Amino acid sequence: MSRFEETDAEDLSSDKDERREIEIKSLLDQIRQTADKLQRDAATRGDLKLLSRSLKELRYAFKVFTPFRDKRKVTIFGSARTLPDHPTYQTAADFAEQMAKDDWLVITGAGSGIMEAGHRGAGRANSMGLNIMLPFEQQANPVIHGDEKLVNMKYFFTRKLMFVKECDAVVCLPGGFGTLDEAFEVLTLVQTGKRDIFPIVLLDAPGGTYWKALDDFIRAALHEGGMISPEDFALYKVTDKIEEAVGEIEQFYKVYHSMRYVRKQLVIRTMTPIAESLLNDIRTEFQDILSEGTFEVRDALPEEDEPELEDMPRLVFTFNRRNLGRLRILVDCLNAGSMEPAGRDFT
């Protein structure tokens, strides 16, 4: 690189840093303006307490998670009532142990049962916790209790936000109302594009039928009733095998790295370049998910402000923001380096 090119690169970097600082200041100003408007609106004491506590909780949670943003994380959901001698407990522990060996952090609700199993399998050093404070004093399990990677939260909605926002995959083991609520909320967020797609695994103990029974219901009632699309089945995987659960997650990040929207365009970053032949096949197979234009391989867009990702290849296109199941299949094709996943019958 010549001296002039180095100077241009430095100027471009400086411009991006300046734009980023301006945007951050604008967002902080908006938070302050919202607080002023609450006072003008004569918000009740109860409303103000809820907003104040929520903001404090999220601020602290962001602070705890920030140092670990460069590590992949898997969230594990499941029953707090599962005992250590139950096969599902051991399945959760074995799964978490394997993910920790592969350098993943394990997030759970920090309580007992499946949550404790996940932390026992991963070990304290590879565990993060989001404990909910309940009237009957739920205390964090002994593995994570007192750890700097534990956050105690008052509200379920702030806790659920952190579970999904900070992770790169979700694995649900059998549980009660809370587990089903978490599983369906994650599926809803991904299906509607409110959360970037990521692996969702419904994991049973070997021979277990908990999730298979739910999957049968989804197929018979929701799919056959026309309430979900066939490609929505690509959004989750049901299995009773730990190796399949681990494989589903790690295969997802074999080539795919991350995605973000830049105005109307969706940018998918990949770990390796996309072959011309695969790009041509994608243009033919996935034309239906475009609102306009075509698929292009490009360098980082000027609006992207993540310098650590600038050198990654990009697949850029105008996604219709509707066919999220098809988008997941596209990512599977990128990871496979072929169109084989597009030919699967998910029903």
Side-chain angles (χ1 to χ4, degrees):
M1 180 183 292
S2 71
R3 179 167 58 85
F4 298 106
E5 289 173 325
E6 288 177 357
T7 301
D8 289 344
E10 290 171 0
D11 289 344
L12 182 60
S13 177
S14 177
D15 288 344
K16 285 185 176 181
D17 289 343
E18 186 176 349
R19 287 199 301 269
R20 184 180 180 87
E21 287 302 316
I22 291 172
E23 185 177 2
I24 289 174
K25 182 180 182 302
S26 174
L27 291 169
L28 289 171
D29 286 342
Q30 288 176 38
I31 293 173
R32 297 185 187 99
Q33 290 166 14
T34 299
D36 291 340
K37 289 177 181 178
L38 285 165
Q39 187 174 25
R40 288 205 309 270
D41 296 343
T44 66
R45 178 174 174 272
D47 290 344
L48 292 172
K49 283 181 67 176
L50 188 153
L51 286 168
S52 175
R53 180 59 186 260
S54 301
L55 188 60
K56 286 180 180 179
E57 283 195 354
L58 290 173
R59 197 278 316 168
Y60 181 68
F62 295 159
K63 178 184 176 181
V64 170
F65 275 83
T66 294
F68 305 98
R69 292 257 167 89
D70 61 340
K71 292 199 68 170
R72 294 289 188 191
K73 304 174 195 68
V74 56
T75 290
I76 295 178
F77 293 127
S79 175
R81 303 184 186 188
T82 304
L83 299 177
D85 60 354
H86 195 282
T88 307
Y89 186 104
Q90 191 59 50
T91 296
D94 291 345
F95 167 78
E97 180 180 12
Q98 183 59 57
M99 295 305 295
K101 285 180 179 177
D102 294 341
D103 203 31
W104 282 61
L105 294 176
V106 172
I107 307 171
T108 83
S112 57
I114 296 301
M115 294 175 279
E116 179 182 299
H119 283 163
R120 286 201 182 281
R124 186 180 178 100
N126 298 297
S127 295
M128 302 192 76
L130 293 164
N131 185 44
I132 187 74
M133 295 181 289
L134 296 172
F136 44 88
E137 300 276 344
Q138 174 173 302
Q139 181 171 294
N141 66 64
V143 181
I144 197 71
H145 181 69
D147 193 277
E148 63 179 7
K149 303 189 300 303
L150 171 68
V151 182
N152 293 300
M153 311 190 83
K154 179 177 181 179
Y155 298 121
F156 273 108
F157 75 90
T158 53
R159 181 182 185 233
K160 288 165 75 175
L161 184 152
M162 292 302 299
F163 272 134
V164 179
K165 175 185 179 295
E166 296 293 339
C167 74
D168 302 282
V170 165
V171 173
C172 302
L173 287 101
F177 292 146
T179 300
L180 291 172
D181 171 58
E182 289 156 346
F184 277 111
E185 178 162 2
V186 169
L187 281 167
T188 300
L189 291 172
V190 172
Q191 185 207 37
T192 56
K194 291 298 184 181
R195 205 291 182 191
D196 292 347
I197 57 173
F198 61 0
I200 302 170
V201 180
L202 308 181
L203 176 62
D204 253 311
T209 60
Y210 181 96
W211 294 115
K212 184 181 183 303
L214 180 65
D215 187 48
D216 289 343
F217 168 78
I218 292 172
R219 292 173 186 277
L222 277 64
H223 177 243
E224 292 183 15
M227 288 175 274
I228 62 172
S229 303
E231 59 263 26
D232 289 335
F233 290 112
L235 298 176
Y236 68 93
K237 181 178 183 64
V238 177
T239 183
D240 63 352
K241 296 178 176 61
I242 293 171
E243 61 272 20
E244 286 189 1
V246 172
E248 174 76 1
I249 294 169
E250 297 191 344
Q251 174 66 19
F252 185 85
Y253 294 101
K254 181 180 178 181
V255 173
Y256 170 88
H257 180 273
S258 58
M259 67 173 58
R260 67 168 289 179
Y261 286 94
V262 177
R263 296 189 302 276
K264 294 195 302 180
Q265 293 182 303
L266 177 59
V267 179
I268 293 181
R269 295 109 164 203
T270 60
M271 304 290 289
T272 57
I274 300 169
E276 185 69 25
S277 58
L278 181 60
L279 176 62
N280 290 333
D281 289 340
I282 287 172
R283 285 171 171 165
T284 301
E285 172 65 30
F286 292 99
Q287 183 69 30
D288 61 303
I289 72 171
L290 299 175
S291 58
E292 61 182 51
T294 188
F295 296 89
E296 296 180 321
V297 172
R298 297 181 58 180
D299 294 329
L301 275 59
E303 296 85 352
E304 294 184 67
D305 55 357
E306 295 156 284
E308 69 279 10
L309 306 180
E310 279 188 0
D311 293 336
M312 288 185 173
R314 269 102 167 128
L315 182 67
V316 181
F317 55 100
T318 309
F319 179 48
N320 63 21
R321 300 202 181 203
R322 184 175 62 253
N323 299 108
L324 276 301
R326 290 280 289 160
L327 181 63
R328 168 59 200 262
I329 297 169
L330 168 58
V331 171
D332 288 345
C333 290
L334 290 172
N335 286 317
S338 75
M339 301 306 293
E340 183 272 329
R344 295 177 190 165
D345 181 4
F346 291 94
T347 60

